[in-house]
Amino acid sequence: MTFPVVGMVGGGQLARMTHEAGIPLGIKFKLLSDTPQDSAAQVVSEVVVGDYRDLDTLRAFARGCDVITFDHEHVPTAHLRALEADGVPVRPGPDALVHAQDKGVMRAKLDAIGVPCPRHRIVSDPEDAARFAAEVAGGGAQHLGEGRWSGDGDGSGGFPVVLKTVRGGYDGKGVWVVRSSKEAEEPFRAGVPVLAEEKVDFARELAANIVRSPHGQAVAYPVVESIQVDGVCDTVIAPAPGLDPELAGHAQELALRIGQELGVVGHLAVELFETADGRILVNELAMRPHNSGHWTQDGAITSQFANHVRAVLDLPLGDPRPRARWTVMANVLGGDYPDMYSAYLHCMARDPQLKIHMYGKDVKPGRKVGHVNTYGDDLAEVRERAAHAAGYLRGTITE
């Protein structure tokens, strides 16, 4: 029998885990990786080392692939259109993916289809950012000359606000919380458009993950709570505890509608703010497997990775329902103890149900090098087990 070949652009941990999900199905993977040492390049048998920003490299890589998909959103949109013109199925396609590549395009489209978002607009320079801050506050700030505005730094005049480069940001990179027009200078040094957004006073962050196939079948996972530390996802709780069932259903419906309106094929993560008054606002979109869905590897009947593979191949999608009442994912970040393998003995003996997923990365302080999943009926206990394992692997917990 001839099995399809999935071409994966990007060699990170998402590609590694997507490849793992395809193994039981006999799906072949071909990888375009920056280096032979990348996470997925260590486990995929057919690896092409090259630059995804080079169209000739992409075209050569696509030969022999039945479909192209991604573990990041950074491939130039024009290159993806060229691949489609060559007859290569690209999933998600460029018309959808551009909404995850460009935050300005995303916000404009979400506005057009009536999706609730923080107040926002593209700003041209630090003074324009200050004007946006004044708009957020209802026009209460005045220009004082020399780049200063009334309210700079004291929370009035609309400050603080969030500034984001429209392309290239992730894990807190390319995002600034600025408290004055002076602090607003840094984002503009990158030389790319900058999106200004109000700083939402949210109660917590949520994520709604869905998967959609080319013929329109879609599944929705339970809405999760995502806990961030220093701009990086630390813990994910599935399902989000204490979330009103009606609001949870609304979040799932919203994610499914966004996926349909944008023509997404594959996994879509919709990152959300839950406000203190019980509303939800869309923060970010990601069109690939996502950190907020890692819990599904051990906590759902069909993982996000397995359903992404099914979707890009237009196979029937799998059941997204949870296996346990609670599943908690905790990211393992690099610390001062690079020998994480020596910690396995303690972690596995302490918690035989613990699931450890390591990415094959060099351990560097603050770098995501793996994650753990725990599950059970008592949320406090499940959280403690996940936090202990992640901390012990990192070296911040020693007993």
Side-chain angles (χ1 to χ4, degrees), residues 126-128 130-131 134 141-145 147-152 159 181:
E127 286 70 31
D128 197 20
R131 283 191 290 272
Q142 295 181 344
H143 189 238
L144 303 176
R148 296 182 300 112
W149 288 72
S150 64
D152 270 7
F159 285 111
S181 51

Side-chain angles (χ1 to χ4, degrees), residues 97-108:
L97 192 61
V98 68
H99 299 92
Q101 294 175 320
D102 190 305
K103 293 178 175 63
V105 173
M106 173 194 72
R107 286 292 183 222

